[in-house]
Amino acid sequence: MTTTAITNIASLVTNDPSLCVDSPLGLIQDAAVVIEGDRVVWTGESSKAPATDNAVDAGGRAAIPGFVDSHSHLLFAGDRTEEFNARMSGRPYSAGGIRTTVAATRAATDDELSANVARYLAEALRQGTTTFETKSGYGLTVEDEARALRIAAQHTEEVTYLGAHIVSPDYADDPAGYVDLVTGAMLDACAPYARWVDVFCEKGAFDGDQARAILTAGRAKGLHPRVHANQLGHGPGVQLAVELDAASADHCTHLTDADVDALAQGNTVATLLPGAEFSTRATWPDARRILDAGATVALSTDCNPGSSFTSSMPFCIALAVRDMGMTPDEALWSATAGGAAALRRTDIGRITPGARADLVLLDAPSHVHLAYRPGVPLVHAVWQHGERVV
């Protein structure tokens, strides 16, 4: 395998705190990275870089790990422009929300759905995202949920079964029957394509008992839990996530002290999704409170057509710093290593020997510019699996 050295990096974020006592990001100044195949094999000061087959001059730019977007909903068709416009204009709107997307998704062809996923992934890649998770949840029939996951698995290894997004309109008068479907025939059809099982545990979606049954059934099929928790109000989602050792509790907007303590004492990552609050003008999650308690925090886009139609992790970093009480260092860590933790991965979200060679060069001397210059396209180059792709 050929080796490539990226040298003359002004500031390298490794996410290895052992390399820099003053920064949890493990910052190395005037740094270099050596890639062999799809792995990082060396990091250090640029002047000490070993000889390699190829060399790339970073030109005094900052280098960071590729972003890890651990929560998205990309298997859909159509959009909800009218709903967003009405919401932002202060008018009531009753377009049916998720049900509108369900109807459009069911009507779309496999090729249309796959092309849609590919388009949003390319968009995210240009903004530095090298790993992403995505979910079903806009089909809500056995056939449509299974095909969504089959298509998703063609694009990523981080695939989540979310048959329990809402109660299907087909079962509006029989929610218990829909739970039976989600834990039975639908799960059987979907499990071969997924790694994760998720549930929207919220008033108006699935209560604690229903969520427990769905997650437990998924776990019995080899799928690991993650939970949409405490987005719209206080509820059992976070506590259930920690109890079942879910990889993540996502949203975490409305938390009691007991919820925060549970996150701090458990292994469940609190995944915060500021794009949703931005797009709905809802209450911001209090990241400072969660971090100060000692819990692990991830940042993600929640890219979906209804409540957070953004694929930009840099945008989410800027929101987290401006409106959720995070420092620039914390926000970047949460968008990289935090996302990796939410996917229970140790091979991504860092630039250290043995890690997958996913990294981003910024048109800036420091990662702080991601929050300092919001909305500016700062991504200069992207390596994914050791190959330069942007």
Side-chain angles (χ1 to χ4, degrees):
M1 292 184 288
T2 59
T3 54
T4 299
I6 305 172
T7 62
N8 193 20
I9 299 170
S11 176
L12 172 65
V13 174
T14 66
N15 282 340
D16 181 353
S18 70
L19 298 177
C20 180
V21 295
D22 297 325
S23 169
L25 298 182
L27 290 173
I28 303 176
Q29 307 298 330
D30 189 17
V33 176
V34 175
I35 298 169
E36 183 175 7
D38 67 347
R39 297 285 149 175
V40 174
V41 294
W42 185 89
T43 60
E45 296 177 11
S46 195
S47 62
K48 299 178 181 178
T52 57
D53 301 310
N54 304 302
V56 175
D57 188 336
R61 297 178 174 88
I64 63 173
F67 296 123
V68 180
D69 191 346
S70 62
H71 183 126
S72 75
H73 301 252
L74 301 184
L75 267 297
F76 69 89
D79 73 12
R80 280 146 65 184
T81 304
E82 292 183 14
E83 177 185 334
F84 176 80
N85 188 41
R87 189 166 66 235
M88 292 298 106
S89 301
R91 299 192 302 271
Y93 194 79
S94 56
I98 290 173
R99 292 171 181 81
T100 302
T101 302
V102 169
T105 303
R106 288 179 178 180
T109 67
D110 288 12
D111 287 345
E112 287 169 339
L113 290 177
S114 185
N116 213 33
V117 174
R119 178 160 65 96
Y120 292 120
L121 291 185
E123 182 180 278
L125 186 64
R126 292 193 298 270
Q127 298 174 90
T129 298
T130 52
T131 301
F132 76 98
E133 176 269 2
T134 200
K135 310 174 193 295
S136 65
Y138 292 123
L140 309 185
T141 68
V142 172
E143 179 182 355
D144 286 304
E145 287 294 293
R147 76 163 178 148
L149 294 173
R150 173 172 48 79
I151 292 167
Q154 296 168 5
H155 296 275
T156 181
E157 58 203 343
E158 299 296 348
V159 177
T160 300
Y161 167 48
L162 183 60
H165 200 179
I166 59 169
V167 174
S168 170
D170 309 321
Y171 284 79
D173 297 324
D174 185 17
Y178 186 65
V179 172
D180 289 342
L181 182 70
V182 169
T183 58
M186 187 183 288
L187 175 59
D188 292 340
C190 290
Y193 304 108
R195 183 182 177 205
W196 306 97
V197 59
D198 198 346
V199 60
F200 189 18
C201 183
E202 200 76 53
K203 184 178 181 180
F206 298 90
D207 64 25
D209 290 340
Q210 293 168 326
R212 182 189 303 278
I214 291 163
L215 296 173
T216 301
R219 193 163 60 178
K221 282 285 187 178
L223 306 183
H224 201 87
R226 48 198 330 111
V227 184
H228 281 63
N230 300 54
Q231 176 187 7
L232 305 178
H234 296 289
V238 165
Q239 298 281 348
L240 181 63
V242 175
E243 176 191 334
L244 297 180
D245 189 36
S248 65
D250 298 27
H251 288 288
C252 294
T253 307
H254 300 275
L255 302 180
T256 65
D257 289 344
D259 293 331
V260 175
D261 289 344
L263 288 166
Q265 295 169 17
N267 297 317
T268 298
V269 174
T271 299
L272 307 183
L273 311 169
E277 280 71 38
F278 176 86
S279 185
T280 61
R281 292 179 174 157
T283 301
W284 296 101
D286 188 349
R288 182 79 272 135
R289 178 187 179 200
I290 302 169
L291 288 164
D292 287 349
T296 300
V297 170
L299 284 178
S300 188
T301 64
D302 191 19
C303 187
N304 75 82
S307 61
S308 183
F309 205 3
T310 179
S311 59
S312 175
M313 290 289 276
F315 175 64
C316 291
I317 287 173
L319 292 179
V321 172
R322 168 64 177 80
D323 292 303
M324 288 165 39
M326 300 183 82
T327 68
D329 283 12
E330 289 168 339
L332 179 62
W333 189 95
S334 294
T336 53
L343 295 175
R344 300 219 162 152
R345 298 275 296 272
T346 59
D347 60 327
I348 55 176
R350 58 191 179 93
I351 304 177
T352 56
R356 200 169 75 183
D358 295 346
L359 62 144
V360 177
L361 284 184
L362 301 176
D363 268 327
S366 166
H367 65 280
V368 177
H369 281 236
L370 291 166
Y372 180 44
R373 305 195 68 208
V376 177
L378 294 178
V379 173
H380 175 78
V382 179
W383 279 260
Q384 185 181 44
H385 295 272
E387 296 288 334
R388 184 169 178 176
V389 291
V390 174

